[in-house]
């Protein structure tokens, strides 16, 4: 495997706090990268970093990122991370790549991505279940990070109270990630999608007792790259027994559905969304 290395850039003092700052060949997380399951990194920034590294291994603009699978076997600590990538297959119509995150010489997360070559679209129509999300939220500037807006299915709820979780039924969420993943770099469309897909576990597994399943892995599939900075998720399914759960959601942008997300999770208590965000 080869280690991913990037030159440093400075971020202006007025810019939002990035999730990661370059530290030589490593990436040091800021406090904003902490997730809701204790003193560890949020799954969405772990997946984002893996997706970002995988995308950088592909230099052909006609190769479409069609599938990303992220494995989260161990909590990633709030300490610097090394990223390693490897090309598994490189053929005319596809490229399969892998990435690993290393902390203290131990693997904490892994991902693979399949890139497919774009070509002519076949004629005809294929049935798909229709998806309806609430309208895009009004941006009041109060929540510049992930979980900008969360909706209950069919409800006119924006920035709901914590007790919204007592409502039974499928969930929607619109995400507008405004923080850079890595200092000095804008979010690419694929990285934005990779970060959003982790939220599938939250909306698909959220029930009358809030969130009681922790993500073990997730898979994102894409028919095309998202357009714009807003991404939506609509939960589709949740099945669980004996503490093991699988959930799914459809991913949309302003133009409509673009892919699906599937999460595998295990029963776990103690989810607490971070109550305070760092300045910026």
């Amino acid at each position: 495997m080869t280690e991913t290395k990037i030159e440093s850039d400075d971020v202006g003092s007025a810019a939002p706090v990035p999730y990661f700052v370059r530290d030589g060949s490593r990436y040091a997380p800021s406090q904003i990268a902490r997730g809701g399951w204790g003193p560890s990194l949020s799954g969405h920034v772990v997946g984002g970093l893996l997706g970002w590294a995988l995308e950088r291994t592909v230099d052909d603009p006609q190769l479409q990122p069609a599938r990303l699978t992220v494995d989260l076997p161990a909590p990633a600590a709030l300490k610097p991370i090394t990223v390693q990538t490897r090309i598994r297959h490189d053929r005319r119509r596809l490229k399969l790549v892998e990435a690993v995150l290393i902390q203290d010489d131990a693997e904490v997360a892994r991902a693979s991505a399949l890139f497919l070559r774009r070509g002519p679209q076949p004629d005809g129509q294929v049935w798909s279940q229709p998806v309806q999300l609430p309208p895009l939220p009004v941006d009041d500037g109060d929540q510049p990070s992930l979980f900008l807006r969360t909706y209950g299915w069919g409800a006119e709820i924006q920035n709901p109270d914590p007790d919204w979780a007592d409502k039974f039924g499928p969930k929607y969420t619109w995400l507008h990630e405004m923080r850079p993943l890595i200092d000095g770099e804008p979010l690419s469309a694929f990285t934005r999608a990779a970060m959003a897909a982790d939220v599938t576990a939250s909306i698909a597994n959220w029930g009358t007792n809030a969130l009681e399943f922790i993500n073990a892995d997730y898979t994102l599939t894409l028919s095309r790259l998202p357009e714009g900075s807003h991404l939506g998720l609509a939960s589709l399914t949740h099945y669980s027994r004996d503490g093991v759960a699988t959930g799914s959601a459809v991913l949309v942008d302003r133009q409509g559905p673009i892919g699906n997300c599937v999460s595998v999770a295990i029963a776990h208590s103690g989810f607490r969304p971070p109550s305070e965000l760092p300045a910026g």
Side-chain angles (χ1 to χ4, degrees), residues 29-70:
S30 59
Q31 286 297 315
I32 191 66
R34 176 174 173 164
W37 295 102
S40 58
L41 294 179
S42 171
H44 88 284
V45 302
V46 172
L49 187 60
L50 286 162
W52 169 85
L54 289 166
E55 186 178 26
R56 291 174 67 86
T57 68
V58 178
D59 57 6
D60 187 339
Q62 290 305 310
L63 285 175
Q64 154 77 35
R67 191 268 301 161
L68 169 71
T69 297
V70 175

Side-chain angles (χ1 to χ4, degrees), residues 118-131:
R118 298 180 178 94
Q121 175 70 9
D123 294 332
Q125 296 181 341
V126 181
W127 178 89
S128 182
Q129 178 174 310
V131 175

